[in-house]
Amino acid sequence: MNPFSTLTELSAALARREVSALELAELYLARIARANAKLNAFVAVDDEIARRHARACDERRASGLTLGPLDGVPIALKDLLQIEGRVTTVGSAPWRDRRSTITAPVVERLLAAGMVPLGKTQMVEFAFGTWGTNPHLGTPWNPWDLATHRVPGGSSSGSGVAVAAGLAPAAIGSDTGGSVRIPAALNGITGLKTTVGLISTQGAFPLSTTLDTIGPMARSVEDAALLTAAMTDARAPAVAAPAADISGVRIALIPEDQYPIAVEPAVSAALQAAAQTLRALGARVAERRFPFDFGELSRRNGRLTAAEAYAVHRAYIEHEKLPIGPGVRARVLGGKAVGAADYIDALAYRSKACARWREWMRDTDALLTPAVPIAACPVDAVDETVAPLASFTRAGNFLDACGLALPAGFSDNGLPVGVQLLGRPFDEATLLRIGRAFQHVTDWHRRTPDLTEFSA
């Protein structure tokens, strides 16, 4: 099997008995063994647990039983998703031996669907950072340039690298300010930021209890839809498989004078090409002025995140002897100055902004923007005091939008760039519909990095 196959392709191969679940597990475990020392996508891999789950799937299938389309397909999990008895580092070196006492419902749902867990993926410490760097546990290596260590995007850095490099067919990430969409864009894969409440965050170690969401990172929109349906909370609206017809769908473009940051020419070209593709598919794509300042929403999102992160980590974040990354420590401590009245005001402002967003979206089905303003830069060029990669993504979290990152092109030096769709709360189905139509006529999501040095 091709390790860059989609979940739907792997599912079909399993159903036709062309491959067994154990053979799939061995394929990805072998690739991890060969490549992870360089790429650092996984913080922990348990080969025997993966094999046990795979064998159980094969036994079910041999007896004529399956648990659904994901039964026997491998999955990687961001290392803030807790599994009882297993280490959950949340990207922090002091927590290398911290064992969880609970299992996150999202993990339970994936296992109930028959998925085979390969292991836990690296992440930015405490999920608080967009570059994808981690000074103590190591920064995953963006697989599109094996000569230069480039940022993978964060905070779901390892998940993005694992999927892009074919170490896993899909992974789960979390998104508080862009942490699914940013690494998806920088690694050339598909990432869905879900609406708060669609997928349970219980058992996912928190960054911001107000803004945290869980979402899939996969090769295709169809795969993202499959995973979302499997993870969706029983009380939330169902997410159906996306159709491909988008005739008459209304898509807004913001004028460039409203951009919060200058974007690289490749990003601008990818956005314009994506808009033209969607027009050719029958969508009504037109410029429309955005009723908010992206920069202001980004700052407010960061301030609210910092306040809630400080509440979570205040007992130890100032202990200088603990090996906590200086950038993350500074960001968390930024929330210390947010008083109770300021925090209440921030929540009230957000509530009004969310209502205004819903009203503005009455005449629009989706907003199309760049996902990130630049392609992946070298790790040694990172400035931890700024977050340009979140310039277009944080607004989606603050406004409680759903968001979909799609690979849409490459920079002049062969690095992926992506576009983002933002939609109404709980309207993931519309974004998935648009995304599937886009991927039906483009092949950006089919492009893969040259990793022949890791081949068997």
Side-chain angles (χ1 to χ4, degrees):
M1 286 298 299
N2 182 352
F4 295 100
S5 298
T6 65
L7 295 183
T8 48
E9 290 165 345
L10 296 177
S11 177
L14 284 166
R16 292 191 299 263
R17 308 293 178 94
E18 295 173 358
V19 67
S20 70
L22 183 58
E23 288 170 334
L24 280 185
E26 296 290 5
L27 169 68
Y28 289 103
L29 290 171
R31 286 185 65 81
I32 294 167
R34 290 193 297 270
N36 200 56
K38 167 88 170 184
L39 300 181
N40 194 28
F42 283 85
V43 67
V45 178
D46 194 320
D47 299 46
E48 284 311 308
I49 286 179
R51 291 184 180 111
R52 285 204 298 270
H53 281 273
R55 289 190 189 102
C57 167
D58 289 334
E59 290 169 4
R60 284 192 298 272
R61 200 173 294 274
S63 65
L65 299 173
T66 66
L67 299 176
L70 295 174
D71 198 0
V73 181
I75 189 73
L77 304 169
K78 185 176 182 177
D79 197 26
L80 53 59
L81 295 172
Q82 302 196 67
I83 301 174
E84 185 178 1
R86 303 282 298 280
V87 171
T88 304
T89 70
V90 197
S92 188
W95 288 1
R96 279 193 177 102
D97 299 317
R98 176 186 175 277
R99 293 194 177 270
S100 297
T101 58
I102 61 172
T103 297
V106 65
V107 175
E108 293 175 338
R109 289 191 176 95
L110 293 170
L111 298 181
M115 298 203 81
V116 175
L118 295 171
K120 296 286 205 73
T121 54
Q122 289 279 15
M123 57 179 285
V124 175
E125 190 168 19
F126 303 147
F128 205 176
T130 58
W131 294 108
T133 52
N134 189 316
H136 294 295
L137 295 186
T139 299
W141 193 296
N142 190 309
W144 288 90
D145 185 350
L146 296 182
T148 301
H149 194 180
R150 293 182 180 273
V151 295
S155 64
S156 307
S157 50
S159 290
V161 169
V163 177
L167 307 189
I172 306 305
S174 66
D175 194 312
T176 306
S179 291
V180 161
R181 291 161 290 159
I182 292 168
L186 293 184
N187 287 283
I189 64 172
T190 302
L192 179 67
K193 181 265 175 203
T194 57
T195 310
V196 171
L198 183 72
I199 298 171
S200 173
T201 55
Q202 182 184 349
F205 199 90
L207 171 61
S208 164
T209 53
T210 297
L211 301 168
D212 289 347
T213 61
I214 302 296
M217 303 174 71
R219 305 216 66 83
S220 73
V221 168
E222 286 183 273
D223 288 357
L226 268 177
L227 288 168
T228 303
M231 295 187 290
T232 296
D233 192 283
R235 299 165 296 177
V239 177
D245 181 16
I246 59 169
S247 299
V249 170
R250 303 161 300 175
I251 300 175
L253 285 168
I254 61 171
E256 286 195 21
D257 66 8
Q258 285 196 291
Y259 281 13
I261 189 172
V263 303
E264 289 182 349
V267 173
S268 180
L271 182 73
Q272 296 307 316
Q276 189 55 41
T277 297
L278 294 171
R279 286 190 186 100
L281 290 167
R284 292 156 51 194
V285 183
E287 271 196 2
R288 187 179 177 203
R289 294 203 69 80
F290 194 53
F292 302 96
D293 180 319
F294 263 92
E296 176 65 16
L297 293 182
S298 181
R299 288 186 290 274
R300 287 182 178 273
N301 186 91
R303 187 170 173 80
L304 180 55
T305 300
E308 295 189 337
Y310 180 73
V312 172
H313 299 289
R314 65 184 182 276
Y316 43 79
I317 194 65
E318 294 184 83
H319 293 182
E320 292 294 338
K321 291 185 178 180
L322 287 178
I324 295 171
V328 169
R329 191 193 298 273
R331 286 190 283 277
V332 174
L333 286 174
K336 184 177 181 179
V338 180
D342 294 332
Y343 178 69
I344 292 170
D345 286 347
L347 293 178
Y349 181 93
R350 178 174 184 259
S351 179
K352 291 177 181 177
C354 289
R356 190 178 176 192
W357 162 254
R358 292 192 297 270
E359 179 64 26
W360 189 76
M361 287 294 291
R362 287 168 67 108
D363 301 318
T364 302
D365 296 306
L367 173 63
L368 178 65
T369 77
V372 289
I374 59 174
C377 68
V379 169
D380 60 14
V382 166
D383 180 354
E384 291 283 358
T385 66
V386 293
L389 294 179
S391 298
F392 292 95
T393 56
R394 279 182 176 177
N397 300 83
F398 195 79
L399 297 173
D400 199 23
C402 54
L404 180 65
L406 299 166
F410 288 90
S411 67
D412 289 342
N413 54 344
L415 301 171
V417 295
V419 297
Q420 170 187 240
L421 291 163
L422 293 177
R424 307 178 195 92
F426 298 108
D427 197 19
E428 282 81 0
T430 295
L431 299 192
L432 293 168
R433 177 183 165 199
I434 297 169
R436 185 184 182 193
F438 179 75
Q439 291 187 343
H440 187 69
V441 297
T442 62
D443 71 346
W444 302 117
H445 64 296
R446 291 286 186 182
R447 309 286 184 92
T448 59
D450 180 4
L451 301 176
T452 50
E453 70 177 77
F454 302 128
S455 299

